[in-house]
Amino acid sequence: MALKKKKQKNTKSFWHRIRFKYKLSFFNETTLEEVWSFRLSQLSAFSSLAVFALVLIAVTALIIIKTPIRNYLPGYLDIEVRKEIMQNALRADSLERMIAVQSLYLKNVVGILTGTTPIDSIREIDSLAHVNADYDIPRSKNESNFVKAFEDDEKYNLAVLNPNPVPTDGIFFYKPVNGIVSSHYEADIRHFGVDIAASPKESVLSTLDGTVVFTGYDPNYGNVIQIQHKNGFLSIYKHNELLLKEIGDHVVAGEAIALVGNTGKLSTGPHLHFELWYKGSPVNPEDYIAF
């Protein structure tokens, strides 16, 4: 009971002490006349300081938010400023690209006027030079000799006298790769072959005896190899990972000529796109091969 009374007494003493008002007076030093005075307690002093601090914080925040000072704060860049910076960067990049194109164009014009650059060789400016789809790539000397030798070999081929438009008597077509046909031959949509889903890097086999007439890379079809066969057939193998033969190589039916891959923009997975052509016209490979 005595402890409780003592605690209450201390509490009353504390509130009395912080609420007790002190008088602060200012006197004229000459006349000792009181010029100004005010009363202030500890509680009112703490309250005044707290209010002043809150007001100062609020005013500072308001100045930062409403004035350009906010752009100097880390991570607080205005969206419009960011957008303008991005647009300026894009404009600078476009101007740099246009300057490069114009410089290359002027360089080609100077070459043509001075006679140092053949006209047909100007094919470097992708946005200005028109690429003719019918552009005939000149044959090299080795390619011309190979074509001439092949035509001489075929000159006395009696198979051309066969009235059957697609002769297949006595011909066995090897399956080019082991797998599942994922897309069939559809000439209406210009899909002149079959897609065979297979394991990556599995061997691709030549379907008949023949001679390799083309090997190369196509942006859409990846690594491509073509084999000309003496009976008028031409087989084409696309999207290969690796080509094992070169132009002019003679291959036998069932010989590995490439590895299954996923090359080219039109490929969506490891597979072989296989086409079979007869005298310049596509035929359905599934009519001749059991996949």
Side-chain angles (χ1 to χ4, degrees):
M1 190 68 178
L3 183 61
K4 185 177 180 180
K5 288 182 178 181
K6 184 177 180 181
K7 189 179 294 185
Q8 289 178 353
K9 184 178 180 180
N10 292 337
T11 303
K12 290 179 180 180
S13 176
F14 171 76
W15 281 107
H16 178 75
R17 187 168 59 254
I18 65 173
R19 295 177 63 184
F20 183 80
K21 292 184 178 182
Y22 298 89
K23 182 179 180 181
L24 180 62
S25 301
F26 295 88
F27 294 90
N28 189 328
E29 185 178 1
T30 305
T31 62
L32 297 179
E33 180 183 359
E34 185 178 7
V35 179
W36 181 57
S37 66
F38 65 93
R39 298 178 181 275
L40 186 68
S41 63
Q42 294 181 10
L43 180 61
S44 60
F46 292 148
S47 301
S48 300
L49 289 175
V51 171
F52 176 76
L54 292 176
V55 171
L56 183 62
I57 293 173
V59 171
T60 304
L62 188 63
I63 292 175
I64 292 175
I65 294 173
K66 296 298 183 179
T67 62
I69 296 177
R70 66 183 182 276
N71 294 328
Y72 294 96
L73 296 178
Y76 195 85
L77 193 61
D78 193 7
I79 296 177
E80 294 297 329
V81 177
R82 292 186 181 183
K83 183 178 179 181
E84 186 175 352
I85 292 174
M86 184 65 68
Q87 290 177 348
N88 291 336
L90 293 176
R91 292 192 191 101
D93 184 68
S94 299
L95 290 174
E96 184 179 359
R97 171 63 180 162
M98 288 303 301
I99 291 173
V101 170
Q102 291 295 334
S103 299
L104 185 57
Y105 176 77
L106 293 176
K107 178 182 176 182
N108 289 329
V109 171
V110 171
I112 294 173
L113 295 177
T114 57
T116 58
T117 303
I119 297 178
D120 291 339
S121 66
I122 303 174
R123 309 173 62 81
E124 299 182 20
I125 304 179
D126 56 356
S127 61
L128 297 179
H130 174 69
V131 179
N132 186 2
D134 298 328
Y135 178 74
D136 186 17
I137 301 177
R139 290 180 177 179
S140 64
K141 184 178 180 180
N142 292 336
E143 186 179 359
S144 299
N145 294 336
F146 170 75
V147 172
K148 186 177 184 303
F150 182 79
E151 290 177 349
D152 291 340
D153 291 340
E154 291 292 302
K155 184 183 300 183
Y156 302 104
N157 187 358
L158 299 180
V160 297
L161 302 177
N162 192 339
N164 186 3
V166 185
T168 56
D169 295 339
I171 299 177
F172 175 76
F173 291 85
Y174 270 83
K175 185 166 61 174
V177 71
N178 291 322
I180 301 174
V181 176
S182 59
S183 183
H184 299 276
Y185 175 90
E186 295 184 66
D188 295 339
I189 60 174
R190 303 184 65 82
H191 188 260
F192 301 121
V194 294
D195 292 336
I196 308 171
S199 301
K201 297 185 179 181
E202 185 174 344
S203 296
V204 177
L205 309 180
S206 175
T207 188
L208 293 171
D209 296 348
T211 304
V212 178
V213 295
F214 175 82
T215 59
Y217 181 83
D218 183 272
N220 292 326
Y221 300 106
N223 294 317
V224 180
I225 183 171
Q226 299 181 9
I227 300 177
Q228 180 68 57
H229 310 287
K230 288 188 176 182
N231 54 7
F233 283 96
L234 174 73
S235 58
I236 305 175
Y237 313 78
K238 300 180 179 180
H239 303 299
N240 299 287
E241 177 70 21
L242 178 66
L243 303 181
L244 305 179
K245 300 296 180 180
E246 297 180 354
I247 294 178
D249 289 347
H250 179 75
V251 296
V252 298
E255 182 178 356
I257 58 173
L259 300 179
V260 173
N262 185 28
T263 58
K265 294 180 181 179
L266 299 181
S267 180
T268 57
H271 77 287
L272 171 69
H273 177 85
F274 175 72
E275 296 181 7
L276 198 60
W277 294 64
Y278 179 73
K279 292 185 177 181
S281 299
V283 295
N284 188 356
E286 293 185 273
D287 293 339
Y288 308 93
I289 304 174
F291 291 98

